Amino acid sequence: VKIQLGDKMKILIATKNPGKIEGAKRAFANYFKDVNIEGIPVSSDVSEEPVNDELYNGSNNRVQNLKKYAKENNIDADYFIAIESGITNQLGKWMIINIAIIEDKSGKKSIGSSSGFPVPDKYVDEIISTDLGKVMDRIFNEDDLRSKQGGVSLLTKGVISRYDLTEQAFVMALTQFINGEIW
């Protein structure tokens, strides 16, 4: 069932990464009929490869920086969204996970995450000191996987892509917006 918020929905996403934009479009298209997503790159103000709390902080910083950019440039939007992919060991083992934040124009904010995948211990230090994309490109002899299907697509033999993980995280964040009275 599609929920309709006005005739046109304007969403600003804090990136120009085509994989993240596509995943966000898929997530919002599950619930809204007419979605326009514009990518605007803004800083996360965290490490190149976010670690642990930097995942939430980076995504939240991107949303706040995006809102500031929109205000300064007179750009109106229904939602301001961002997603940060990074590495965490907060569950006891090193994993890659995505954290999405959605904030509507009234300031209501929600968070969601994607499923995560494990990282072999032998790559953890290299990922943290550079970033996952560079390590995946090297391991799989690819170029700019992060802007396409992502290394997760190769790890899962094509079953799950970066688009899927991004969509999952945004769908989880949307639960607060699509379930009305529960929140």
Side-chain angles (χ1 to χ4, degrees), residues 155-181:
L155 290 172
T156 63
K157 307 297 186 207
V159 173
I160 296 175
S161 71
R162 176 182 191 112
Y163 310 125
D164 299 326
L165 293 180
T166 301
E167 179 181 358
Q168 284 177 5
F170 280 119
V171 166
M172 293 298 102
L174 277 165
T175 59
Q176 183 172 332
F177 292 98
I178 62 173
N179 285 290
E181 298 301 315

Side-chain angles (χ1 to χ4, degrees), residues 111-159:
I111 182 174
S113 68
S114 69
S115 50
F117 59 92
V119 176
D121 288 339
K122 65 184 177 182
Y123 298 120
V124 170
D125 290 340
E126 183 183 359
I127 290 168
I128 291 171
S129 68
T130 59
D131 74 56
L132 177 66
K134 290 175 183 164
V135 175
M136 291 289 226
D137 283 346
R138 182 182 60 73
I139 292 169
F140 290 109
N141 197 25
E142 291 281 342
D143 182 42
D144 198 25
L145 278 169
R146 72 184 322 161
S147 295
K148 298 178 255 180
Q149 76 274 17
V152 68
S153 181
L154 297 173
L155 290 172
T156 63
K157 307 297 186 207
V159 173

Side-chain angles (χ1 to χ4, degrees), residues 59-78:
S59 192
N60 189 55
N61 291 344
R62 285 186 194 277
V63 167
Q64 300 316 309
N65 289 336
L66 184 60
K67 287 175 58 184
K68 182 180 175 190
Y69 177 90
K71 184 176 182 179
E72 290 170 354
N73 291 277
N74 231 6
I75 302 171
D76 190 33
D78 296 297

Side-chain angles (χ1 to χ4, degrees), residues 14 20 42-66 81-86 99-101 111:
K20 290 181 178 182
V42 294
S43 178
S44 68
D45 301 323
V46 297
S47 304
E48 180 70 23
E49 180 62 36
V51 180
N52 292 325
D53 290 347
E54 288 183 318
L55 285 155
Y56 173 83
N57 294 335
S59 192
N60 189 55
N61 291 344
R62 285 186 194 277
V63 167
Q64 300 316 309
N65 289 336
L66 184 60
I81 69 175
I83 190 162
E84 201 69 43
S85 175
I99 299 295
I101 293 182
I111 182 174

